[in-house]
Amino acid sequence: MSRPRHLVVMGVTATGKTTVGRALAEAIGGVFVEGDTFHPPANIEKMSAGTPLDDDDRRPWLRALAGEIARIDAAGELSVTACSALRRPYRDWLREGHAGLFFVHLDSTFDVLLDRMKRRTHFMPPSLLQSQLDTLEPLEPDEAGAVIDDNQTVDAVIADALAAVRAA
């Protein structure tokens, strides 16, 4: 089996998906896709107001990301997408862009994530952290991917993620 061409760095808010995703894209020579930039303004407004997104909000966003992954694949390039991908159906919608996605699930503790959220500027308020954790469904055995401990240094997270991708 060949190494994955398209990665999705997934997890709840404040896991460092963007930081890790950018580093992974650079390491594999791929295009970085920031999933948040694909949210329609209504989604950003809803989350900024402290209201969690529902499936109807997420579906067009995830389908747009799947389309971007498909576009990058058609261009013959590699990609790394930062996207929460919290539930199996969401990951299935992303796979519509490329069936062979590899998911890098960044996993951390509530306290670490809450601390990170309090120290950053982002549209996602700390009040939504628990709803994201409640929504999160772990990768299933038939899903290509790896769970990476996000309670370590950024360099260690990136090294572990690269090792998982290389072993795939």
Side-chain angles (χ1 to χ4, degrees):
M1 184 160 97
S2 61
R3 287 199 181 132
R5 296 181 39 79
H6 302 283
L7 314 177
V8 175
V9 180
M10 65 169 280
V12 300
T13 188
T15 53
K17 294 180 294 290
T18 298
T19 300
V20 172
R22 284 186 197 283
L24 288 176
E26 184 176 324
I28 68 168
V31 175
F32 175 70
V33 179
E34 174 54 72
D36 283 346
T37 64
F38 284 74
H39 273 297
N43 282 10
I44 301 292
E45 290 171 19
K46 193 171 184 178
M47 289 182 283
S48 296
T51 304
L53 299 180
D54 60 28
D55 287 1
D56 291 335
D57 300 319
R58 288 186 178 105
R59 180 172 280 223
W61 167 62
L62 292 164
R63 289 247 163 95
L65 281 173
E68 181 66 5
I69 293 166
R71 185 194 67 74
I72 293 167
D73 187 62
E77 297 180 279
L78 307 175
S79 72
V80 178
T81 301
C83 172
S84 54
L86 297 175
R87 296 184 55 234
R88 173 66 186 251
Y90 306 163
R91 297 187 293 271
D92 290 342
W93 294 337
L94 287 170
R95 278 188 277 270
E96 291 174 5
H98 190 276
L101 291 181
F102 186 90
F103 291 88
V104 176
H105 175 187
L106 302 180
D107 186 39
S108 192
T109 65
F110 179 89
D111 291 336
V112 167
L113 295 169
L114 185 61
D115 182 60
R116 290 177 186 170
M117 291 181 83
K118 289 178 178 177
R119 292 185 284 123
R120 72 178 188 170
T121 302
H122 192 273
F123 62 82
M124 178 78 72
S127 62
L128 288 182
L129 175 58
Q130 189 60 55
S131 74
Q132 286 217 324
L133 290 167
D134 292 345
T135 302
L136 179 65
E137 294 175 359
L139 290 171
E140 295 181 19
D142 67 327
E143 292 185 279
V147 178
I148 306 297
D149 178 5
D150 192 40
N151 293 318
Q152 49 187 340
T153 67
V154 172
D155 289 342
V157 169
I158 293 164
D160 287 354
L162 283 171
V165 169
R166 289 182 181 123

